[in-house]
Amino acid sequence: MAYLEPKEFATKMVDAGEQKIFMSTKDTFIRAFMAGAILALAAFFAITVISKTGNPLLGAVLFPVGFIMLYLMKFDLLTGVFTLVPLAIIDKRPGCTMKELWRNWGLVFCGNFAGALMVAFFASFILTYGYQIDGGAVAEKVSTIGESRTLGYKEQGILGWFTIFIRGMLCNWMVSMGVVGAMISTSAGSKMAAMWMPIMLFFYMAFEHSIVNMFLFPFSMIMGGEFTVVDYLVWNEIPTALGNLAGGFLLVGLPLYLTHVKTSKERKASAVAEKPSMAAL
């Protein structure tokens, strides 16, 4: 395993944020579209496994395949750019501004959503032979998930909203560890192993991921889930995206930057020796 030291991969995180800011509109959108589509397909796969086997752990073990594929192909998820792009601005890289950050996040959001919606349409079509029959056990499972993770939170009021927000934070804490994991090694096998574990954890714990939900909830509505677009946005997508932003940036990107890129000077041994210990006092 070709392991990089923390300072090296933390600097790579800042470089990656800068590179994403200056990526062309075409490339940014295409990479986001493909990332949203592949992650949605992985979610469809995992839900199918769970429906057929009744084993949530098996679905969680297999779901990271999609995440690993899209990151090895250097496609972009909104959760990843939440973590990396702000670092280029904090590091004062030339030309990296808040305006450019919003441009990148807006394009990635639209690309992810479009890719996830495409897979939601494809999945619903093939399950129903073009909407002629019901979708069976998978459709029933998806519709109940959509209802419980919108109306279920809504019943709890503002505390339900903050529950989604915190679940979103915890999710992108783990997902961003997967993003960073892909940077700590130069071998494909080690990158895959480092990405697999945190992604499996977030899926099994049912934390809220804004891109997975871009697929899951439209798919659920098509399959008969009884909730509205407003319910989905207010009682899932918006607090989830905000939680993903806070978790990725505050719990992964910023701590790594502050301690490995902007490392403080080490304390002098002489200064430590001169300072009286509590025992001596």
Side-chain angles (χ1 to χ4, degrees):
M1 174 180 178
Y3 173 72
L4 300 182
E5 291 296 323
K7 188 173 183 62
E8 292 179 89
F9 70 71
T11 302
K12 285 181 66 176
M13 292 170 64
V14 183
D15 294 341
E18 181 182 15
Q19 184 264 333
K20 293 181 189 308
I21 279 181
F22 292 118
M23 194 185 300
S24 72
T25 299
K26 181 205 74 176
D27 291 335
T28 302
F29 185 82
I30 290 176
R31 295 184 190 195
F33 180 91
M34 293 308 300
I38 292 172
L39 198 70
L41 193 57
F44 182 39
F45 166 59
I47 292 169
T48 302
V49 169
I50 294 170
S51 298
K52 291 184 180 297
T53 66
N55 187 343
L57 180 58
L58 184 59
V61 169
L62 297 173
F63 171 74
V65 170
F67 181 88
I68 290 170
M69 283 194 295
L70 72 92
Y71 264 99
L72 288 180
M73 294 181 187
K74 293 193 176 297
F75 295 149
D76 285 323
L77 292 173
L78 186 65
T79 42
V81 298
F82 276 163
T83 303
L84 300 177
V85 171
L87 300 181
I89 296 172
I90 293 172
D91 203 52
K92 298 180 180 177
R93 296 290 177 93
C96 296
T97 63
M98 287 302 295
K99 180 182 177 182
E100 296 298 327
L101 175 144
W102 287 114
R103 170 190 169 278
N104 175 266
W105 285 2
L107 284 170
V108 174
F109 180 91
C110 292
N112 285 167
F113 216 133
L117 280 177
M118 181 189 74
V119 174
F121 169 72
F122 286 168
S124 61
F125 192 96
I126 64 175
L127 282 178
T128 61
Y129 289 94
Y131 310 107
Q132 298 182 84
I133 62 172
D134 68 53
V138 174
E140 184 179 350
K141 176 75 174 176
V142 167
S143 63
T144 56
I145 291 174
E147 291 171 4
S148 65
R149 287 167 60 176
T150 51
L151 303 181
Y153 288 128
K154 186 178 181 180
E155 288 176 0
Q156 304 303 319
I158 190 64
L159 294 180
W161 195 95
F162 277 105
T163 298
I164 312 170
F165 177 83
I166 294 171
R167 281 182 173 274
M169 283 187 70
L170 293 171
C171 176
N172 210 24
W173 188 0
M174 292 297 100
V175 172
S176 294
M177 291 300 290
V179 173
V180 174
M183 297 180 175
I184 66 174
S185 172
T186 56
S187 76
S190 299
K191 284 175 181 282
M192 288 189 277
M195 286 189 278
W196 201 292
M197 291 177 283
I199 304 306
M200 179 178 64
L201 189 157
F202 112 70
F203 194 87
Y204 186 72
M205 295 297 290
F207 294 154
E208 299 286 353
H209 189 275
S210 54
I211 318 307
V212 171
N213 293 357
M214 288 175 184
F215 157 75
L216 188 60
F217 291 86
F219 185 34
S220 177
M221 293 179 74
I222 297 171
M223 291 290 95
E226 296 184 353
F227 57 96
T228 67
V229 173
V230 173
D231 289 331
Y232 157 56
L233 293 175
V234 175
W235 294 100
N236 197 288
E237 188 62 38
I238 292 173
T240 294
L242 293 174
N244 288 169
L245 169 59
F249 179 60
L250 297 178
L251 298 177
V252 179
L254 190 59
L256 287 172
Y257 176 80
L258 290 177
T259 195
H260 290 312
V261 178
K262 292 296 181 183
T263 308
S264 299
K265 291 182 180 178
E266 293 184 355
R267 300 165 66 205
K268 299 293 184 185
S270 57
V272 175
E274 291 172 1
K275 192 173 182 178
S277 66
M278 291 299 294
L281 293 174

